[in-house]
Amino acid sequence: QVQLVESGGGVVQPGRSLRLSCAASGFTFSNYGMHWVRQAPGKGLEWVAVISYDGINKYYADSVKGRFTISRDNSKNTLYLQMNSLRAEDTAVYYCAKDSYYYDSSGYYPSYYYYYMDVWGKGTTVTVSS
Amino acid sequence: EIVLTQSPGTLSLSPGERATLSCRASQSVSSSYLAWYQQKPGQAPRILIYGASSRATGIPDRFSGSGSGTDFTLTISRLEPEDFAVYYCQQYGGSPYTFGQGTKLEIK
């Protein structure tokens, strides 16, 4: 079945770095964009970043722009989030989520499209604290 | 950036009652690219509604979505015990793909 499994969370000091991973299975990873969404303790959902199916197009929330980098390795069916210069306010559960827009490998797409998130992982917890 | 404001913050109802949740956008959401998610404690969110009014696979027909432009509504026709959760709206008309702050649906 379609599954996303995040890993790499932990406790890290302010200013340090951490890399999250999201292993995908049960679908053709390279045909879909992927998102990271986070949720601070007791708070709502915050969209963090998205990457296109081919890894070329990326968007970030202003709160993480310049500090976080989203990437993917389609040969390994894995999504990443490199988090640098971490702050206390980055403390959250980080979810990876599959975008629902399907890119046919043989199709021509003049633009990148992002739709709703139809599959979510269980999340990995990042705590930024000294 | 499109800001989504959900109301009410908390809704207290009993099983069998009808729930109406609102999501208002600070500017028009293009092509009704508005989704609703359900989140239960300790779980990841789950997609309920996309395109403002289309139910996702496996979602019971007691869940319905409506609206366009800046005003959207999620309706649960007859509440079941498993429906008590937090509900989020999200727009995917353009980056940043913002969420509302959520509505907590609690048992009265």
Side-chain angles (χ1 to χ4, degrees), chain B residues 9-94:
Chain B
T10 302
L11 186 57
S12 300
L13 294 169
S14 301
E17 291 192 291
R18 180 185 186 91
T20 303
L21 287 66
S22 173
C23 176
R24 179 160 292 177
S26 60
Q27 55 188 281
S28 184
V29 177
S30 62
S31 304
S32 294
Y33 285 163
L34 193 287
W36 289 92
Y37 301 86
Q38 177 194 67
Q39 187 180 35
K40 296 179 180 179
Q43 296 185 16
R46 175 175 74 141
I47 181 68
L48 296 175
I49 301 288
Y50 63 91
S53 60
S54 297
R55 270 188 304 277
T57 303
I59 301 304
D61 59 8
R62 64 180 181 273
F63 290 90
S64 63
S66 62
S68 63
T70 60
D71 288 293
F72 300 88
T73 301
L74 174 69
T75 301
I76 310 172
S77 58
R78 285 175 51 85
L79 286 166
E80 297 287 343
E82 62 267 27
D83 298 337
F84 292 91
V86 180
Y87 292 83
Y88 296 94
C89 59
Q90 183 230 351
Q91 66 82 21
Y92 50 99

Side-chain angles (χ1 to χ4, degrees), chain A residues 50-112:
Chain A
V50 66
I51 187 168
S52 58
Y53 67 101
D54 56 7
I56 293 175
N57 183 255
K58 305 172 187 180
Y59 292 113
Y60 297 92
D62 284 347
S63 58
V64 306
K65 201 174 294 183
R67 300 188 299 122
F68 289 13
T69 301
I70 189 171
S71 63
R72 64 191 295 161
D73 186 336
N74 285 346
S75 68
K76 296 182 178 179
N77 292 341
T78 302
L79 174 73
Y80 302 101
L81 186 67
Q82 177 67 42
M83 305 185 295
N84 298 333
S85 303
L86 282 161
R87 306 167 179 167
E89 54 264 37
D90 296 319
T91 293
V93 174
Y94 284 74
Y95 297 100
C96 66
K98 171 183 163 291
D99 192 271
S100 57
Y101 191 91
Y102 172 72
Y103 288 88
D104 187 324
S105 305
S106 60
Y108 168 69
Y109 299 92
S111 186
Y112 292 101

Side-chain angles (χ1 to χ4, degrees), chain A residues 17-51:
Chain A
S17 299
L18 204 61
R19 189 178 83 156
L20 305 182
S21 299
C22 170
S25 59
F27 66 100
T28 306
F29 183 68
S30 58
N31 288 141
Y32 295 91
M34 295 292 296
H35 300 260
W36 286 101
V37 175
R38 68 184 181 182
Q39 186 168 37
K43 303 297 184 182
L45 302 172
E46 180 187 15
W47 174 80
V48 173
V50 66
I51 187 168

